[in-house]
Amino acid sequence: MTHAMLLLIIGIASLGLGVILLGVSRGPQDRRDLLARVVTSPASQVPYLLPGAPVEVTGILRCDAPLTGEISRHPCAYYDARVTREYDRRRTDADGRTYLEHHTEEVSANRQSTPFYVEDTSGRVLVRPDGAEIDAQQVVDRFEPGAAGGPDFGKAGFAVYGVAVSDETTVGYKYVERVLPVDAQVFVLGTVQQNGEIGRPPTSSPSDRFIVSYRSAETLELQLSRNAHWFSYASMAFVVAGVALVVVGLVSLRV
């Protein structure tokens, strides 16, 4: 392969990646625009809004029958608990020399949610979080070295799908859990249901979103704006670099 052809291939790949990143940037841009467009409603007024209308509420998360985080044991309306095993695997090369490869595997993943109320000074409204994009608070992020640091699967009820073998040595386990805590601030952007609750939008409305976050609307909107700008800038950089490489490659082919 000639140098010119290599430049053309890299340039075309860069252009393709730039187009992909441009498309990815539309996701956070659309969510940010929707957050800015929908006005926050008092919780008590949601049942009086037109079913199918987008609605935004903010307040304190209340739950009559809260869940318990599997790792943190925190009372919550949602948790996402994950355990990752880090291990070294012995390998032998063609010359008979033994070396170690470091690997990770997710040995447990469990996500649960339950209906909750958003309560403000006007009252409360029920939210059913099934199908929501949940931005939960990280409450556990720790690493426990050694095989003895493995999860207590019986107590926590984890679903295990990783199996250790004799040529592997466990380095340790990483625990991560995110929750929507009870009695804490929560923001919800969803759709008014027929019964006056808040839930997912109808499948016929792909432009609407269902977002539940422990962060405020302002903080969430700022984060989405930053993400959209980052993807846009990266897209422009790859497109410019791709065009330059394609031009140089074509010029080199003619020389």
Side-chain angles (χ1 to χ4, degrees), residues 151-174:
D152 184 346
F153 298 107
K155 178 180 178 181
F158 289 113
V160 185
Y161 49 85
V163 180
V165 294
S166 58
D167 66 341
E168 297 174 359
T169 301
T170 299
V171 177
Y173 291 87
K174 183 176 179 61

Side-chain angles (χ1 to χ4, degrees), residues 34 49 69 76 86 105 127 134 139 163 165 169 215 219 222 237 248 252:
L34 183 60
L49 299 177
C76 57
E86 295 190 13
E105 63 173 351
V127 178
I134 297 183
V139 293
V163 180
V165 294
T169 301
R215 291 181 283 187
T219 302
L222 180 60
V248 172
S252 300

Side-chain angles (χ1 to χ4, degrees), residues 65-148:
L67 304 170
T68 299
E70 290 193 349
I71 302 175
S72 67
R73 316 308 295 172
H74 287 178
C76 57
Y78 166 90
Y79 68 80
D80 182 357
R82 299 178 183 272
V83 181
T84 303
R85 173 175 170 255
E86 295 190 13
Y87 63 96
D88 291 329
R89 176 176 293 169
R90 288 188 295 276
R91 295 293 192 185
T92 303
D93 62 19
D95 298 325
R97 292 174 297 189
T98 301
Y99 61 97
L100 294 177
E101 285 182 346
H102 190 72
H103 296 267
T104 62
E105 63 173 351
E106 190 172 66
V107 297
S108 168
N110 200 358
R111 182 183 301 169
Q112 299 289 335
S113 65
T114 190
F116 61 89
Y117 292 94
V118 176
E119 182 179 284
D120 60 18
T121 55
S122 72
R124 55 165 53 180
V125 61
L126 186 65
V127 178
R128 297 192 182 275
D130 296 341
E133 305 171 40
I134 297 183
D135 174 37
Q137 181 180 3
Q138 184 166 290
V139 293
V140 176
D141 183 7
R142 72 173 187 267
F143 180 79
E144 295 185 2

